[in-house]
Amino acid sequence: MRVRATAAVALVASLALAACSVVLLYAVHTNLVASAQNTARDHVDKAAHQLGSGTPPADVQAALPDIILDTAPPAGSSSTASADQGASASVGTPTGTILVQAFPNRAPAHTAVITLTWALVPCTALLVLLVAYLAWYAMGRALRPVENIRAEFADITAHSLQRRVPVPDSDDEVASLAETMNGTLDQLQRAVGRLRTFTSDASHELRGPLTTLKARLELALARPDRAEWTAVGNEALRDTTRLEDIVTDLLLLARLDARQPLKLQPLCVTDLLRRTLAERYPGQPVVLVADSEPDEAVLGSRTALARLFTNLLDNALRHAHSTVTVEVRHTEHEVVVEVSDDGRGIPEPDREKVFDRFTRLDNARTRSEGGTGLGLAIARDIATAHGGTLTAESPRTTDGGARLLLIIAREEGDRVHPVPRTGDPGTLR
């Protein structure tokens, strides 16, 4: 790049200096020729005046040696100025009519142009070299921060993501490039950190059920005649189910992390919640509170949103003392779903932490309460994939309890599609 830029600058400088030199030479030559023509014209006029005043032709010729006197001019008296013929005039004298002529001397003009050309050639060459050197030096100074950034970036590996490229003080495009690269490195470092934590947590979560399952089977096989194989099978099935749940959640998180596009369609949130409660939570203490007005459509994936609501309800039922309340509200541009329970609640410092993967609060870490520690993380990722938000808010009453708030933008304008109500044919697929 430095060589190409220097060559381009040198070429442009050469063409510009060559053009300027040609213009200068043309101007000098034109001015000198015009000056010679004016001199010839002045001499003709002066000679004609002297002859007209009675000065002998010999004296006029001696005083003005560049003029030509012809004693046989054409009839009449005229004065002309031509680049080829010079200047001439016919003058009547007592001895007859005399033609006075003078031709411009172009030799000084040609000599000046040649001399100036020989002077311009080396000067132009030196100027081109100077411009090329300055361009080379300037490009080196300009690209030095880029080279420093490249060298530092080349040394950054997966084990040294905490390093950053130097940001120059120039406050220009190179500085913006360095800041952008550092921002990308920040994101990469966070992503790698999350991946390492996720891998470690996943290994820990999978190791527990696998270790328990292996120990039970080894113990039963060590004393096959005393083992209660029905109980062993039930316990092994429970551990296998837990492993299956963890693997399923991990696969879903992998798809969400890969930003795979969702199959979106207009959905009725209230109808989807009613369907979810009827299919998965019959007889459970879940109360659905919805607006009496017609439900507004949201653009979403039916399967993904159903999984989101299931995760929220499972989490609420796991910690509720008696009741879980689901409230659906519609604002001008959004659909708000609030899931609250009357359990122990979420301490304020942990309201963001609960959405981290494999996170269980101290009062919910026992395996007997179930869960993989991925439910709320999956729910938030699904909400984010729909352009919405999922947060843990303060309880409405002093009795405590957890309150999770889901906000999803609804369809507006010409994009709104009619959503069939529950009970219509083909309402839910």
Side-chain angles (χ1 to χ4, degrees):
M1 178 179 177
R2 188 179 183 184
V3 174
R4 292 195 300 269
T6 302
V9 171
L11 178 61
V12 172
S14 300
L15 295 177
L17 289 175
C20 292
S21 299
V22 170
V23 172
L24 177 62
L25 291 173
Y26 176 78
V28 170
H29 182 268
T30 302
N31 289 334
L32 290 177
V33 170
S35 177
Q37 290 176 345
N38 291 333
T39 300
R41 188 180 300 109
D42 291 342
H43 286 184
V44 168
D45 292 341
K46 186 176 180 179
H49 177 72
Q50 291 178 355
L51 290 173
S53 62
T55 304
D59 295 339
V60 174
Q61 184 74 61
L64 301 171
D66 58 326
I67 65 172
I68 300 174
L69 301 179
D70 189 355
T71 57
S77 177
S78 63
S79 177
T80 62
S82 171
D84 296 330
Q85 298 178 356
S88 63
S90 296
V91 182
T93 65
T95 59
T97 302
I98 297 176
L99 176 64
V100 182
Q101 291 181 318
F103 295 93
N105 184 9
R106 294 188 175 87
H110 294 314
T111 301
V113 168
I114 293 174
T115 302
L116 186 59
T117 300
W118 282 107
L120 286 175
V121 169
C123 292
T124 301
L126 290 176
L127 285 175
V128 170
L129 292 176
L130 178 61
V131 170
Y133 171 76
L134 292 177
W136 177 269
Y137 179 77
M139 286 297 297
R141 289 289 301 272
L143 294 176
R144 187 176 303 164
V146 178
E147 174 60 24
N148 294 337
I149 293 173
R150 185 206 64 79
E152 182 67 23
F153 193 78
D155 291 337
I156 295 176
T157 64
H159 301 289
S160 58
L161 291 176
Q162 73 280 358
R163 296 171 59 179
R164 296 294 179 267
V165 299
V167 180
D169 299 329
S170 54
D171 193 22
D172 55 7
E173 291 79 2
V174 177
S176 299
L177 173 63
E179 292 174 354
T180 302
M181 293 181 68
N182 284 337
T184 303
L185 288 173
D186 289 338
Q187 297 179 7
L188 180 60
Q189 183 181 10
R190 288 194 295 268
V192 172
R194 287 196 301 266
L195 178 60
R196 289 172 178 170
T197 302
F198 179 73
T199 303
S200 176
D201 291 340
S203 301
H204 175 74
E205 293 293 325
L206 292 171
R207 188 183 298 114
L210 284 173
T211 302
T212 303
L213 177 60
K214 180 181 179 182
R216 286 171 178 166
L217 293 176
E218 288 178 345
L219 183 60
L221 290 174
R223 298 180 178 180
D225 53 334
R226 299 183 182 180
E228 297 182 5
W229 288 106
T230 302
V232 172
N234 290 333
E235 292 172 351
L237 180 60
R238 183 168 60 251
D239 291 335
T240 304
T241 302
R242 177 170 176 75
L243 287 170
E244 182 182 17
D245 292 340
I246 294 175
V247 172
T248 301
D249 287 346
L250 289 175
L251 291 175
L252 177 56
L253 281 172
R255 288 195 294 269
L256 292 172
D257 288 341
R259 300 293 190 270
Q260 294 183 358
L262 300 174
K263 295 181 180 179
L264 304 180
Q265 59 179 322
L267 297 174
C268 172
V269 172
T270 306
D271 284 349
L272 184 57
L273 277 168
R274 290 195 179 105
R275 176 72 174 270
T276 302
L277 292 175
E279 290 182 351
R280 295 183 59 91
Y281 305 98
Q284 296 289 333
V286 180
V287 178
L288 176 61
V289 181
D291 293 338
S292 58
E293 299 179 359
D295 205 355
E296 298 288 351
V298 299
L299 197 63
S301 166
R302 186 179 301 274
T303 302
L305 287 179
R307 178 60 185 272
L308 187 156
F309 296 146
T310 299
N311 287 5
L312 294 182
L313 291 170
D314 287 344
N315 179 78
L317 287 170
R318 188 177 302 119
H319 302 290
H321 291 319
S322 59
T323 306
V324 173
T325 303
V326 181
E327 182 179 352
V328 182
R329 301 189 303 273
H330 296 84
T331 65
E332 184 178 359
H333 303 292
E334 298 168 336
V335 176
V336 180
V337 179
E338 180 180 312
V339 179
S340 56
D341 60 68
D342 58 354
R344 291 175 295 237
I346 304 174
E348 185 174 357
D350 296 326
R351 286 175 187 163
E352 185 64 25
K353 182 181 178 182
V354 295
F355 295 102
D356 294 339
R357 298 174 182 183
F358 295 112
T359 295
R360 296 184 184 87
L361 302 184
D362 292 340
N363 60 3
R365 293 191 63 85
T366 58
R367 295 287 189 259
S368 61
E369 294 186 9
T372 63
L374 296 173
L376 292 183
I378 292 174
R380 170 169 278 190
D381 285 351
I382 293 175
T384 302
H386 285 79
T389 60
L390 177 62
T391 57
E393 304 294 337
S394 303
R396 292 182 179 275
T397 64
T398 58
D399 296 337
R403 187 166 74 97
L404 300 178
L405 198 64
L406 170 67
I407 300 177
I408 300 178
R410 64 178 179 82
E411 293 187 289
E412 299 178 8
D414 297 336
R415 293 179 56 208
V416 177
H417 301 279
V419 180
R421 305 298 298 173
T422 303
D424 295 341
T427 296
L428 296 171
R429 295 182 294 171

